[in-house]
Amino acid sequence: MYGFEAMTFNIHGGYLEAIVRGHRSGLLTAADYNNLCQCETLDDIKMHLSATEYGPYLQNEPSPLHTTTIVEKCTLKLVDEYKHMLCQATEPLSTFLEYITYGHMIDNVVLIVTGTLHERDVQELLEKCHPLGMFDSIATLAVAQNMRELYRLVLVDTPLAPYFSECITSEDLDDMNIEIMRNTLYKAYLEDFYQFCQKLGGATAEIMSDLLAFEADRRAVNITINSIGTELTRDDRKKLYSSFGLLYPYGHEELAVCEDIDQVRGVMEKYPPYQPIFGKLSYGESQMLDKAFYEEEVKRLCLSFEQQFHYGVFFAYMRLREQEIRNLMWISECVAQNQKSRVHDSVVFIF
């Protein structure tokens, strides 16, 4: 423990920390997942979830159920819990909680802009947006033709405005530019969140710097793998890497010049925490990499609950709940499409 957090933390943060630890105890266990994986229909899944905290959210849904309905209702539960915590929070916890949603805002902006580019209906796109990343002027994103307009007309009044300083160009929006915009925004967001956590100091700074460093390193690996074989130059690639994390700076230098997945693997195996992740993959294989990263992330998030008097538990809980919703979506899709043999492929057990 650092300094005197134990003396003063509970004045403002004690109630909410107790709430979030209570929510954590409601996460699905391995036994729940084993039962869900044996379900034959989506109604069976609903029946099993009725005994969990998702019960009240699904009880009035008529048959036949759809996967999207299950995911929507489970997400609604997460949003309700988040809003309750945000209403009760005081500074600096309220700002910390708002930071957690900025990633969803970036994803929503990219979704709307990409959908508009492909002439999709704006209303349909808004329904697909994550509710935690909504902001007032999101519907007007569809009018923008390039980055400058996107910033001037819409994003200047949102929390994402400071992150756009590196993105503003007059180039027209196309798929490649939008993907670069997403990664540039994420880089600026992660660096800003990291700096904010460092200012908070103490246990929050230590635990969050580890979790955010892992996120930055994972994004660096994904950017490298996704840009292999594209027109992105080494310098462009390096600009998208965050300026912190275990791989910074020497790992970034090596990743920037990688030409295939095996070279990426060679770089990552020099770093002991990432050796087990790449040890699970056979050579030339990247399909299971996401799952291996998710499993490692879940392990780290669970460990953050072992220490008290810090804000990392709020970040960890939100991420664990999002992972649980991804698990439920995968199981529901496998059941709905009669692909039960693949049901364990992407489920990441939390406890």
Side-chain angles (χ1 to χ4, degrees):
M1 193 42 64
Y2 314 86
F4 298 96
E5 287 121 313
M7 291 175 67
T8 58
F9 183 89
N10 284 351
I11 298 170
H12 296 296
Y15 167 69
L16 281 175
E17 191 186 2
I19 287 280
V20 83
R21 285 178 185 275
H23 286 328
R24 171 195 177 256
S25 65
L27 290 166
L28 299 178
T29 61
D32 289 318
Y33 283 122
N34 287 330
N35 290 335
L36 286 167
C37 290
Q38 289 166 17
C39 291
E40 295 292 333
T41 65
L42 293 183
D43 285 319
D44 291 349
I45 290 178
K46 175 186 166 185
M47 190 174 72
H48 182 77
L49 290 177
S50 65
T52 68
E53 291 187 359
Y54 292 117
Y57 288 85
L58 288 166
Q59 66 187 12
N60 296 324
E61 289 304 313
S63 294
L65 271 177
H66 297 286
T67 306
T68 46
T69 310
I70 293 175
V71 173
E72 207 176 284
K73 294 298 174 186
C74 294
T75 306
L76 182 62
K77 178 185 185 308
L78 173 66
V79 173
D80 286 348
E81 289 169 352
Y82 171 80
K83 284 181 176 168
H84 173 70
M85 290 192 290
L86 189 62
C87 287
Q88 303 288 338
T90 54
E91 283 295 340
L93 178 54
S94 55
T95 303
F96 182 89
L97 288 171
E98 282 168 3
Y99 265 106
I100 294 173
T101 63
Y102 293 173
H104 294 300
M105 281 189 191
I106 293 168
D107 290 339
N108 285 355
V109 168
V110 171
L111 176 70
I112 299 272
V113 173
T114 311
T116 310
L117 188 68
H118 295 292
E119 299 179 355
R120 302 285 290 278
D121 180 47
V122 177
Q123 203 52 46
E124 182 191 326
L125 293 169
L126 285 174
E127 285 168 15
K128 289 184 178 174
C129 285
H130 197 289
L132 283 178
M134 297 303 263
F135 50 88
D136 292 340
S137 54
I138 193 164
T140 54
L141 285 172
V143 300
Q145 297 298 315
N146 57 42
M147 308 275 188
R148 205 177 291 275
E149 279 185 24
L150 197 67
Y151 178 76
R152 187 174 57 83
L153 297 174
V154 185
L155 296 170
V156 70
D157 294 325
T158 71
L160 301 182
Y163 309 149
F164 252 83
S165 56
E166 294 179 44
C167 285
I168 299 178
T169 62
S170 296
E171 288 179 32
D172 285 348
L173 293 167
D174 59 31
D175 285 338
M176 184 75 162
N177 284 339
I178 291 170
E179 208 46 47
I180 291 171
M181 176 181 82
R182 181 209 296 271
N183 286 306
T184 311
L185 286 175
Y186 246 104
K187 174 195 171 183
Y189 156 61
L190 285 175
E191 286 172 359
D192 189 28
F193 197 4
Y194 182 81
Q195 292 301 327
F196 176 74
C197 292
Q198 293 304 308
K199 277 189 210 143
L200 291 177
T204 301
E206 197 205 18
I207 287 161
M208 283 306 297
S209 63
D210 178 57
L211 295 174
L212 291 173
F214 178 77
E215 179 69 19
D217 291 345
R218 176 169 61 178
R219 292 196 74 81
V221 172
N222 286 336
I223 288 165
T224 307
I225 292 171
N226 293 335
S227 62
I228 291 169
T230 66
E231 67 222 43
L232 214 63
T233 64
R234 291 171 184 183
D235 288 340
D236 288 340
R237 200 187 276 183
K238 217 156 73 178
K239 279 181 199 160
L240 300 177
Y241 299 152
S242 301
S243 59
F244 66 97
L246 192 60
L247 299 176
Y248 177 77
Y250 303 112
H252 289 171
E253 297 285 345
E254 292 185 63
L255 282 178
V257 297
C258 287
E259 298 293 341
D260 60 42
I261 179 76
D262 289 334
Q263 288 180 3
V264 174
R265 183 195 188 113
V267 173
M268 297 304 287
E269 284 182 341
K270 294 176 186 173
Y271 295 85
Y274 299 126
Q275 278 171 2
I277 294 175
F278 283 81
K280 292 175 186 175
L281 308 177
S282 54
Y283 278 89
E285 180 188 60
S286 61
Q287 287 87 351
M288 296 305 289
L289 185 60
D290 279 347
K291 186 182 179 186
F293 269 126
Y294 280 138
E295 284 170 347
E296 177 64 23
E297 183 186 32
V298 162
K299 207 185 298 174
R300 290 172 184 233
L301 293 171
C302 289
L303 282 175
S304 67
F305 283 93
E306 301 298 316
Q307 199 164 332
Q308 279 186 294
F309 311 122
H310 66 92
Y311 293 156
V313 287
F314 297 95
F315 178 81
Y317 171 70
M318 297 295 285
R319 283 301 179 90
L320 287 172
R321 194 58 98 175
E322 283 166 21
Q323 180 59 51
E324 183 173 278
I325 292 167
R326 276 195 294 273
N327 288 345
L328 287 171
M329 182 163 79
W330 177 261
I331 294 169
S332 303
E333 283 291 357
C334 286
V335 169
Q337 295 176 25
N338 207 14
Q339 295 281 335
K340 288 192 66 185
S341 58
R342 297 188 55 200
V343 79
H344 286 284
D345 286 2
S346 285
V347 174
V348 177
F349 291 105
I350 294 172
F351 297 118

